[in-house]
Amino acid sequence: QKEVEQNSGPLSVPEGAIASLNCTYSDRGSQSFFWYRQYSGKSPELIMSIYSNGDKEDGRFTAQLNKASQYVSLLIRDSQPSDSATYLCAVKGDYKLSFGAGTTVTVRA
Amino acid sequence: GAVVSQHPSRVICKSGTSVKIECRSLDFQATTMFWYRQFPKKSLMLMATSNEGSKATYEQGVEKDKFLINHASLTLSTLTVTSAHPEDSSFYICSASGRGVARSDDTQYFGPGTRLTVL
């Protein structure tokens, strides 16, 4: 069983729309959760971290965490072509991050 | 803040040679550094974790004698791929977490990666 699962994608959204990315994890004891964005051929860059249940907003990005459901999501509002990338959900275990396979988002102009 | 650099960004070498990749935290003390490998269209694979001044901890299936890791200071870790072969060709990425960054100490910040091609 995979530790971190993401909706497989690819996800195609029109410019200006909301992109919704989902992630579930298996380790109920996890406390730290991260979303990274990775452009093709580049390394991941941190978008947001979240540690408490509820929503956390940063600009056009909103992360949502529900530890009881072992679920974390990322919403991208007003999607722009520059948001086209692969989004990685990461969950911290005892010392390392477990990554999902990633969801590729394409924003259509 | 939280900038991690890697050098070189790209290297091409002949089979059998060794290649050293440097990873530096520029504006914070990296108490822990991680080395990942990523094949095309695949997710990140953790190779090893290193804490400053300690021996690296390798993930299962990663040959520690082939991938030598040194974390000699709070700002520098190196990965040496010894006797490289074509199957070692990949995108190698380091990340660092530690003290002195605005966000939580457990956040990992990634370097830009090193693309290794072994001929």
Side-chain angles (χ1 to χ4, degrees):
Chain A
Q1 182 184 1
K2 288 185 180 178
E3 296 181 14
V4 180
E5 295 206 35
Q6 296 184 238
N7 44 337
S8 57
L11 180 65
S12 180
V13 298
E15 185 173 357
I18 295 175
S20 177
L21 307 172
N22 302 316
C23 174
T24 57
Y25 59 94
S26 61
D27 183 357
R28 187 171 287 278
S30 299
Q31 296 295 322
S32 306
F33 308 87
F34 306 88
W35 283 99
Y36 289 88
R37 175 175 63 196
Q38 187 174 24
Y39 292 111
S40 180
K42 303 294 185 181
S43 68
E45 57 179 316
L46 180 70
I47 296 175
M48 187 175 294
S49 58
I50 187 166
Y51 303 93
S52 303
N53 282 328
D55 295 358
K56 180 180 178 182
E57 188 175 313
D58 185 356
R60 295 185 295 110
F61 298 97
T62 299
Q64 299 173 317
L65 174 61
N66 184 325
K67 291 183 182 178
S69 300
Q70 295 174 238
Y71 171 90
V72 58
S73 67
L74 181 71
L75 298 177
I76 308 173
R77 292 184 302 281
D78 187 24
S79 295
Q80 301 297 308
S82 59
D83 295 327
S84 297
T86 297
Y87 290 80
L88 303 172
C89 172
V91 178
K92 184 173 183 291
D94 48 359
Y95 69 96
K96 65 180 182 181
L97 290 180
S98 294
F99 286 89
T103 300
T104 298
V105 174
T106 301
V107 180
R108 309 187 303 270
Chain B
V3 179
V4 178
S5 70
Q6 255 182 270
H7 179 80
S9 59
R10 187 179 295 268
V11 59
I12 299 173
C13 68
K14 292 182 179 180
S15 186
T17 60
S18 294
V19 174
K20 179 184 281 189
I21 302 170
E22 289 188 352
C23 177
R24 293 181 184 272
S25 58
L26 299 185
D27 53 1
F28 68 103
Q29 293 180 324
T31 50
T32 307
M33 285 186 166
F34 304 83
W35 287 95
Y36 294 85
R37 181 164 57 180
Q38 188 175 37
F39 293 104
K41 299 193 184 301
K42 299 293 184 183
S43 192
L44 296 163
M45 186 192 82
L46 179 65
M47 300 174 66
T49 304
S50 71
N51 294 299
E52 184 263 338
S54 303
K55 288 185 178 180
T57 301
Y58 290 81
E59 295 298 298
Q60 192 171 9
V62 178
E63 299 175 60
K64 62 179 181 181
D65 294 330
K66 181 169 184 62
F67 300 100
L68 302 178
I69 292 171
N70 184 278
H71 189 166
S73 76
L74 283 171
T75 60
L76 173 65
S77 177
T78 60
L79 166 67
T80 301
V81 182
T82 62
S83 187
H85 291 283
E87 57 266 30
D88 298 323
S89 299
S90 188
F91 190 40
Y92 291 86
I93 313 171
C94 72
S95 71
S97 64
R99 299 190 291 267
V101 290
R103 302 178 190 185
S104 170
D105 281 356
D106 69 354
T107 302
Q108 287 187 33
Y109 299 93
F110 284 85
T114 297
R115 195 162 300 282
L116 171 64
T117 302
V118 185
L119 302 176

